[in-house]
Amino acid sequence: EVDEDDFLALTAGEDPSTGHLLGTTHTEKTVRGFDVTCSAPKSVSVLFAVGDPAVRQQVLDGHDAAVAAVVDWIEHHAHCRYRIDGKVCVVDAEGITAAVFRQHTSRALDPQVHTHAVVVNRVLSPDGRWLALDGRTIKRDQQSLSRLYHAGLRAELTRRLGVRWCEPVNGIAEIRDVREDVLGEFSSRS
């Protein structure tokens, strides 16, 4: 469970239990966090929407497992950059803080299983300082993160439900047995 006040304190750069500043003060130009969104293909969202309770749970469990793999990848690849004696040093950023918020509909209230993984832009460096993440990794690797999520989702739903897939396009594939007219029916935004 994410405590709203604690999470807001972290994104403000403060220790939620003490109120002490974690690193430097945020400014209007400071990035407080990164929203990594993992969004299931429309056919997966339709399967969730019309499936019986057991199928719905398997879809959510598969989605959550794929999201967890993405967050794990971010934690293993995230790093900080800072200067030591005038030289830029890059250090691993272990122990990221991320909150995941799963949603089941789009803004238009169509079925749309997706999760926002909000990664707080503060991490404890090996020398004890709180630093900002080097956000270039998350920004530049968005396509990699998307492909990791979609490959993981396909593997999970194939294993859990025996789902068959169309050929991926840009790393994203629809469930083979869901007709185009059904996808269109649940896609009011398009």
Side-chain angles (χ1 to χ4, degrees):
E1 290 292 316
V2 175
D3 180 272
E4 182 178 342
D5 292 332
D6 289 351
F7 186 70
L8 290 174
L10 284 169
T11 59
E14 299 172 358
D15 182 322
S17 57
T18 66
H20 290 120
L21 191 62
L22 301 175
T24 58
T25 303
H26 282 302
T27 68
E28 290 181 17
K29 295 180 181 181
T30 304
V31 175
R32 295 168 185 243
F34 302 94
D35 180 7
V36 178
T37 304
C38 298
S39 186
K42 182 57 72 176
S43 57
V44 173
S45 295
V46 169
L47 179 61
F48 167 77
V50 302
D52 66 36
V55 168
R56 291 170 59 95
Q57 191 60 57
Q58 289 298 322
V59 169
L60 292 181
D61 290 348
H63 168 79
D64 290 347
V67 170
V70 170
V71 173
D72 187 57
W73 188 96
I74 292 169
E75 181 161 30
H76 283 88
H77 292 84
H79 60 272
C80 298
R81 293 171 10 120
Y82 60 96
R83 293 190 181 276
I84 299 175
D85 298 326
K87 296 180 182 175
V88 175
C89 297
V90 177
V91 296
D92 287 338
E94 295 183 24
I96 64 168
T97 302
V100 292
F101 304 93
R102 187 178 62 213
Q103 300 176 321
H104 306 108
T105 61
S106 69
R107 288 186 199 110
L109 300 181
D110 290 326
Q112 185 59 55
V113 175
H114 63 286
T115 293
H116 296 273
V118 182
V119 180
V120 175
N121 193 20
R122 284 288 187 262
V123 67
L124 188 61
S125 69
D127 67 0
R129 295 186 295 162
W130 287 94
L131 301 172
L133 291 168
D134 184 353
R136 295 176 301 172
T137 300
I138 295 172
K139 291 177 184 176
R140 287 183 183 162
D141 289 332
Q142 284 186 15
Q143 191 174 65
S144 297
L145 296 175
S146 174
R147 288 176 188 241
L148 176 64
Y149 165 74
H150 285 279
L153 181 66
R154 287 193 302 274
E156 288 288 335
L157 295 186
T158 298
R159 181 177 64 79
R160 293 167 183 272
L161 297 171
V163 171
R164 300 179 313 158
W165 301 93
C166 297
E167 190 67 30
V169 176
N170 296 323
I172 302 171
E174 296 289 355
I175 296 174
R176 186 184 313 165
D177 300 314
V178 179
R179 297 188 331 251
E180 284 293 324
D181 61 322
V182 173
L183 298 180
E185 186 66 30
F186 289 100
S187 302
S188 62
R189 287 181 69 183
S190 61

